[in-house]
Amino acid sequence: MITQFRVKWVDAFFATIKQPNEKTDQSLFNSTIVPEHNIGIIRINNSLAEKKLVKEFKKVLEEMQSTQALIIDLRNTIDGGNTSVAEPIMSMFVHKKQPYQLYENHKKNI
């Protein structure tokens, strides 16, 4: 679980560069490497339903291979996404097929 401190740190860092705006920012994501900490950050801009995200994500991930850590910020993905985008991106990190969604039935059985 990401601590509140870390979330605030990521927000503060992105405030110093380009703050995504869901109405005006048409890019698929913003990415940067924080050199003093050697951390890569990728902030997805509500584009998890766009198939071209997979190709672009792979390119930027290759650029971040030398970082010690990677933060993938999904908080600006209010429209959700689809499986044809999620699975290829997840396969860049997980090398065997595993469940990635869990559904619960909150209705009480009578």
Side-chain angles (χ1 to χ4, degrees):
M1 179 179 217
I2 297 176
T3 64
Q4 190 66 23
F5 169 77
R6 289 185 183 144
V7 170
K8 286 181 180 178
W9 181 82
V10 171
D11 283 343
F13 180 76
F14 268 103
T16 65
I17 53 171
K18 182 181 178 199
Q19 184 66 22
N21 180 319
E22 63 190 66
K23 293 182 180 175
T24 60
D25 192 343
Q26 300 300 314
S27 63
L28 298 171
F29 56 84
N30 299 88
S31 64
T32 192
I33 296 175
V34 184
E36 61 271 16
H37 299 289
N38 198 22
I39 296 173
I41 303 174
I42 301 172
R43 176 176 274 181
I44 307 292
N45 293 330
N46 205 26
S47 57
L48 287 175
E50 299 197 32
K51 291 184 182 185
K52 61 185 176 179
L53 174 65
V54 177
K55 183 178 179 182
E56 296 301 315
F57 188 92
K58 186 173 184 173
K59 284 182 194 176
V60 78
L61 192 60
E62 289 172 1
E63 295 171 7
M64 296 189 175
Q65 287 295 320
S66 64
T67 60
Q68 290 182 330
L70 178 65
I71 297 170
I72 302 173
D73 186 348
L74 300 172
R75 292 174 294 156
N76 194 30
T77 57
I78 55 174
D79 290 339
N82 66 43
T83 302
S84 65
V85 175
E87 284 183 344
I89 289 176
M90 286 186 302
S91 72
M92 296 176 200
F93 301 97
V94 179
H95 301 291
K96 68 178 189 174
K97 195 160 180 110
Q98 296 183 16
Y100 62 92
Q101 291 179 321
L102 180 64
Y103 294 97
E104 293 182 22
N105 185 349
H106 294 287
K107 295 179 183 177
K108 293 182 180 181
N109 294 331
I110 298 178

